[in-house]
Amino acid sequence: MTIRVGFIGVGGVAQVHLENMKENNDVEIVAVCDVIAKVAESTAHRYGAVPYTDYNKLLTNEQLDALFICVPPFAHQMIEEKAAARGIHLFVEKPIGLDIYTVHQKYRSIKEAGIITATGYCLRYLDIVRKAKKYLADKTVGMARGYYLTTFVETPWWRNMNKSGGQFVEQTTHTVDLMRYLIGDVQKVYADMALRVMDDTPGIDIPDVGSINFVFDSGAIGNITTSFTQPDHRSGIEILGRGFSLLLDEDSLVITEEDGQQQIDRLVDFRKEQDDTFIQAIMTGNRDLILAPYEEALATLLVTFAANQSADSGSPVYVDSLLEKRSEKNGIY
Ligand SMILES: NC(=O)c1ccc[n+]([C@@H]2O[C@H](COP(=O)([O-])OP(=O)(O)OC[C@H]3O[C@@H](n4cnc5c(N)ncnc54)[C@H](O)[C@@H]3O)[C@@H](O)[C@H]2O)c1
């Protein structure tokens, strides 16, 4: 059985997925689409695929089992709905959209089609995250602190709120998702964000610093600091409970207890693990293999929207209120 895979959006992150798929013996990369013709053509040439510049044509002409959607956050259009209607299993890069209503519409199409979905929350596939989750299973978390401090992303769409959603929605979402995965759902968000020092960047309208507080459903509290003003990249989380802490980044997990400290280093290529698991889930029909299906990405997205809303209003935002407002307005949820 060969899984016939297509790609829509073959810029930066798609190159990683393409390489992973090339190395997967169960996969044939059939077609790629990018609105920039020369990007579509050169990528297609590299992987022996058919190039497209219009995703509708790709979906009409090709028989696909699976599709990687790697367009920027503002550019999802109706890709998910149209692919789902054809029964194509979907890998959707995070963040899965910039508007609660359209993302819910997509989710409904996906549910109706019964397809398998995965999203780009790759940190869930870290072996050290699995270990941290197991360690926490019988523990009470008191609080968590996270940070995503990095460099500016030059890609033109990234600096605009209406195209990327800002750093917290677009990037720091990985940290939010990791906290949700390890600690549980977030109930309340209070955020301060500001454009403090990068305001001379042409066209920029997203905050370059942010400090975001959470209350989890469990009663645990947490915070994340976020910034793209830095010359280097640092990200990770620390989780504290009575007599223990877990310090986790992409490369290692440090567990500190009263009688000592243990460091466990990452062994897996978590992005490859993520992509191969998607293919494995399709081949076996076992969707439980997927650690971040579409609905999990949706839940994480809502927390990041709540943060933006809180930063705008200056008030705390209950994550559920985002859904309630929408439901009152449209009567569909
Ligand atoms: N999971 C991760 O770790 C990770 C890492 C990087 C990026 N991402 C996510 O992946 C997404 C893409 O990011 P990127 O860095 O690859 O962006 P990018 O700008 O490098 O690439 C996006 C590509 O999509 C193309 N495109 C835009 N609209 C299209 C359309 N309608 N049809 C076909 N092609 C279209 C663009 O021409 C571009 O080549 C973003 O949501 C980003 O957050 C995830």
Side-chain angles (χ1 to χ4, degrees):
M1 179 183 186
T2 299
I3 304 297
R4 293 168 59 82
V5 171
F7 278 78
I8 299 181
V10 283
V13 77
Q15 302 305 322
V16 178
H17 297 302
L18 281 159
E19 279 301 296
N20 289 342
M21 289 299 96
K22 189 179 94 179
E23 285 173 25
N24 187 316
N25 292 331
D26 297 316
V27 166
E28 184 187 350
I29 301 170
V30 173
V32 303
C33 171
D34 200 288
V35 285
I36 305 171
K38 69 175 193 306
V39 171
E41 278 155 22
S42 63
T43 308
H45 182 69
R46 212 170 327 126
Y47 294 98
V50 181
Y52 290 89
T53 51
D54 177 348
Y55 81 86
N56 287 295
K57 289 202 176 119
L58 182 152
L59 293 177
T60 309
N61 290 358
E62 305 290 343
Q63 286 288 326
L64 298 179
D65 300 306
L67 180 68
F68 282 76
I69 302 174
C70 301
V71 297
F74 69 93
H76 284 249
Q77 301 173 77
M78 295 290 284
I79 301 173
E80 289 84 349
E81 289 90 331
K82 288 180 178 174
R86 291 173 180 272
I88 300 170
H89 304 296
L90 296 181
F91 183 103
V92 188
E93 261 306 346
K94 41 58 53 184
I96 53 174
L98 292 179
D99 169 76
I100 298 172
Y101 177 72
T102 54
V103 170
H104 271 91
Q105 296 284 44
K106 291 178 187 300
Y107 180 48
R108 289 198 330 173
S109 302
I110 284 166
K111 286 299 269 185
E112 273 164 30
I115 55 168
I116 292 172
T117 59
T119 58
Y121 288 102
C122 46
L123 299 179
R124 292 189 180 210
Y125 291 84
L126 277 164
D127 47 355
I128 48 178
V129 166
R130 192 164 58 237
K131 290 204 165 78
K133 198 165 170 62
K134 199 168 163 206
Y135 179 89
L136 290 169
D138 61 354
K139 308 247 182 337
T140 302
V141 171
M143 68 179 276
R145 61 189 198 95
Y147 55 98
Y148 199 108
L149 310 174
T150 193
T151 53
F152 179 61
V153 177
E154 299 285 347
T155 317
W157 55 264
W158 200 77
R159 64 194 66 184
N160 293 132
M161 206 65 176
N162 64 1
K163 291 195 168 155
S164 71
Q167 188 197 16
F168 198 69
V169 167
E170 206 276 341
Q171 246 180 3
T172 314
T173 187
H174 278 299
T175 314
V176 176
D177 186 70
L178 197 52
M179 280 196 185
R180 283 192 58 254
Y181 187 55
L182 292 174
I183 301 169
D185 264 321
V186 173
Q187 197 176 85
K188 189 172 91 171
V189 182
Y190 174 78
D192 286 301
M193 298 183 192
L195 176 55
R196 284 284 300 159
V197 294
M198 305 277 291
D199 52 337
D200 59 350
T201 308
I204 195 167
D205 66 4
I206 59 172
D208 58 8
V209 289
S211 174
I212 296 92
N213 284 305
F214 304 108
V215 178
F216 293 86
D217 282 353
S218 66
I221 61 169
N223 69 69
I224 294 179
T225 44
T226 183
S227 182
F228 54 83
T229 57
Q230 294 298 287
D232 62 339
H233 174 85
R234 283 158 281 153
S235 67
I237 64 174
E238 187 168 11
I239 299 174
L240 314 180
R242 185 170 182 165
F244 76 85
S245 77
L246 300 188
L247 187 59
L248 184 64
D249 62 24
E250 283 185 15
D251 295 316
S252 69
L253 166 67
V254 178
I255 304 175
T256 305
E257 295 176 332
E258 271 145 17
D259 57 356
Q261 200 173 61
Q262 183 194 1
Q263 174 165 334
I264 306 161
D265 292 329
R266 164 170 74 87
L267 296 175
V268 301
D269 175 346
F270 54 101
R271 292 176 193 278
K272 176 128 179 44
E273 197 89 353
Q274 165 189 257
D275 292 355
D276 288 346
T277 301
F278 175 51
I279 299 302
Q280 192 63 24
I282 295 169
M283 291 185 71
T284 59
N286 182 4
R287 60 186 70 219
D288 293 343
L289 296 175
I290 307 278
L291 300 184
Y294 198 84
E295 56 269 32
E296 279 296 296
L298 177 51
T300 294
L301 186 72
L302 289 181
V303 177
T304 62
F305 284 169
N308 276 0
Q309 191 172 310
S310 173
D312 279 349
S313 68
S315 302
V317 173
Y318 284 86
V319 177
D320 279 356
S321 74
L322 267 61
L323 292 177
E324 282 157 18
K325 263 188 216 137
R326 186 53 80 180
S327 123
E328 279 160 27
K329 209 164 138 194
N330 298 288
I332 56 165
Y333 302 118

Coordinates of all heavy atoms in Angstrom, one line a residue, residues 7 15 21 33 50 62 79 82 112 155 162 173 178 188 198 217 229 239 242 244 250 260 266 269-270 290:
F7 N 0.9 18.3 -1.4 CA 1.2 19.5 -0.6 C 0.6 20.8 -1.1 O 0.6 21.0 -2.3 CB 2.8 19.7 -0.6 CG 3.5 18.8 0.4 CD1 3.8 17.5 0.1 CD2 3.9 19.3 1.6 CE1 4.4 16.7 1.0 CE2 4.6 18.5 2.5 CZ 4.8 17.2 2.2
Q15 N 9.3 22.2 3.4 CA 10.5 21.5 3.0 C 10.9 20.4 4.0 O 11.4 19.4 3.6 CB 11.7 22.5 2.8 CG 11.4 23.7 1.8 CD 11.0 23.2 0.4 OE1 11.5 22.2 -0.1 NE2 10.0 23.9 -0.2
M21 N 8.8 13.0 4.1 CA 7.9 12.1 3.2 C 8.8 11.4 2.2 O 8.5 10.2 1.8 CB 6.8 12.9 2.6 CG 5.7 13.4 3.5 SD 4.9 12.0 4.3 CE 5.7 11.8 5.9
C33 N 1.6 22.2 -4.7 CA 1.0 23.5 -5.1 C 1.5 24.7 -4.4 O 1.7 24.6 -3.1 CB -0.6 23.4 -4.9 SG -1.4 25.0 -5.2
V50 N 3.8 16.5 -9.6 CA 3.2 17.4 -10.6 C 3.0 18.8 -9.9 O 2.5 18.9 -8.8 CB 1.8 16.9 -11.1 CG1 1.2 17.8 -12.1 CG2 1.9 15.5 -11.6
E62 N -5.9 15.2 -9.1 CA -5.1 14.1 -8.5 C -5.9 13.3 -7.5 O -6.8 13.8 -6.8 CB -3.9 14.8 -7.7 CG -3.1 15.7 -8.5 CD -2.2 15.0 -9.5 OE1 -2.1 13.7 -9.4 OE2 -1.7 15.6 -10.5
I79 N -9.4 25.2 1.7 CA -8.6 24.0 1.4 C -9.1 22.8 2.2 O -9.4 21.8 1.7 CB -7.1 24.3 1.6 CG1 -6.6 25.5 0.8 CG2 -6.3 23.0 1.3 CD1 -5.2 25.9 1.1
K82 N -12.7 21.5 1.1 CA -12.7 20.9 -0.2 C -12.0 19.5 -0.2 O -12.4 18.6 -0.8 CB -12.1 21.8 -1.2 CG -13.1 23.0 -1.5 CD -12.5 23.9 -2.6 CE -13.5 25.0 -2.9 NZ -13.0 26.0 -3.8
E112 N -17.5 15.7 9.7 CA -18.5 15.1 8.8 C -17.9 14.1 7.8 O -18.4 13.0 7.5 CB -19.2 16.1 7.9 CG -20.5 16.7 8.7 CD -20.9 18.0 8.0 OE1 -20.7 18.2 6.8 OE2 -21.5 18.8 8.8
T155 N 9.9 36.8 7.0 CA 8.8 36.5 6.0 C 7.8 37.6 6.0 O 7.3 38.0 7.1 CB 8.1 35.2 6.4 OG1 9.1 34.2 6.7 CG2 7.3 34.7 5.3
N162 N -3.2 40.7 10.9 CA -4.3 40.1 10.2 C -3.8 39.0 9.3 O -4.6 38.3 8.6 CB -5.1 41.1 9.4 CG -4.3 41.8 8.3 OD1 -3.1 41.5 8.2 ND2 -4.9 42.7 7.6
T173 N 2.5 29.6 20.3 CA 1.4 28.6 20.3 C 2.0 27.2 20.6 O 1.4 26.4 21.3 CB 0.6 28.5 19.0 OG1 -0.5 27.7 19.1 CG2 1.5 28.1 17.8
L178 N 2.1 22.8 24.4 CA 2.8 21.9 25.3 C 2.3 22.0 26.7 O 2.1 20.9 27.4 CB 4.3 22.3 25.3 CG 5.3 21.3 25.8 CD1 5.1 19.9 25.1 CD2 6.7 21.7 25.5
K188 N -8.7 30.5 32.0 CA -8.7 32.0 32.0 C -7.4 32.5 31.6 O -6.3 31.9 32.0 CB -9.0 32.4 33.5 CG -9.2 33.9 33.6 CD -9.7 34.3 35.0 CE -8.6 34.6 35.9 NZ -9.0 35.2 37.2
M198 N 10.8 47.2 18.3 CA 10.9 46.8 16.9 C 10.0 47.6 16.0 O 9.7 47.3 14.9 CB 10.6 45.3 16.7 CG 11.4 44.4 17.5 SD 13.0 43.9 16.9 CE 12.6 43.0 15.5
D217 N -7.8 24.6 34.1 CA -9.1 23.9 34.6 C -8.8 23.3 35.9 O -9.6 23.3 36.8 CB -9.6 22.8 33.6 CG -10.3 23.4 32.5 OD1 -10.5 24.7 32.4 OD2 -10.7 22.7 31.5
T229 N 12.6 39.9 20.0 CA 13.6 40.9 20.0 C 15.0 40.4 20.1 O 16.0 41.2 20.2 CB 13.3 41.9 21.1 OG1 13.4 41.1 22.4 CG2 12.0 42.6 21.1
I239 N 7.7 23.2 35.0 CA 6.5 22.8 35.7 C 6.8 22.5 37.1 O 7.8 21.7 37.4 CB 5.8 21.6 35.0 CG1 5.5 22.0 33.6 CG2 4.6 21.1 35.8 CD1 4.9 20.8 32.7
R242 N 4.7 20.1 44.4 CA 5.3 19.9 45.7 C 6.5 19.0 45.7 O 6.4 17.8 45.4 CB 4.2 19.3 46.6 CG 4.7 19.3 48.1 CD 3.6 18.9 49.0 NE 4.0 18.9 50.3 CZ 3.2 19.0 51.4 NH1 1.9 19.0 51.2 NH2 3.7 19.0 52.6
F244 N 9.0 18.9 43.5 CA 9.6 18.5 42.2 C 9.5 19.7 41.2 O 8.6 20.6 41.4 CB 8.9 17.3 41.6 CG 7.5 17.5 41.1 CD1 7.4 18.0 39.7 CD2 6.4 17.3 41.8 CE1 6.1 18.2 39.2 CE2 5.1 17.6 41.2 CZ 5.0 18.0 39.9
E250 N 13.5 21.7 23.8 CA 13.5 20.7 22.7 C 14.5 19.6 22.8 O 14.4 18.6 22.2 CB 13.7 21.5 21.4 CG 12.5 22.2 20.9 CD 12.7 22.9 19.6 OE1 13.7 22.5 18.9 OE2 11.9 23.7 19.2
G260 N 17.6 14.8 44.5 CA 18.6 14.9 43.4 C 18.0 15.4 42.1 O 16.8 15.7 42.0
R266 N 17.0 14.3 24.6 CA 16.1 13.8 23.5 C 16.9 12.9 22.6 O 18.1 13.1 22.3 CB 15.8 15.1 22.7 CG 15.2 14.8 21.3 CD 14.7 16.0 20.7 NE 15.7 17.0 20.2 CZ 16.2 16.9 19.0 NH1 15.9 16.0 18.1 NH2 17.1 17.8 18.6
D269 N 14.0 12.3 16.3 CA 13.8 13.5 15.4 C 12.2 13.6 15.5 O 11.5 12.9 14.8 CB 14.2 13.1 14.0 CG 13.9 14.2 13.0 OD1 13.0 15.1 13.3 OD2 14.4 14.2 11.9
F270 N 11.8 14.6 16.3 CA 10.3 14.6 16.6 C 9.5 15.1 15.4 O 8.3 14.7 15.3 CB 10.1 15.5 17.8 CG 10.6 16.9 17.8 CD1 9.9 18.0 17.4 CD2 12.0 17.1 18.1 CE1 10.4 19.3 17.4 CE2 12.5 18.4 18.0 CZ 11.7 19.5 17.7
I290 N -2.3 9.6 16.6 CA -2.1 11.0 16.4 C -2.1 11.8 17.7 O -3.2 11.7 18.4 CB -3.1 11.6 15.4 CG1 -3.2 10.8 14.1 CG2 -2.9 13.1 15.2 CD1 -2.2 11.1 13.1

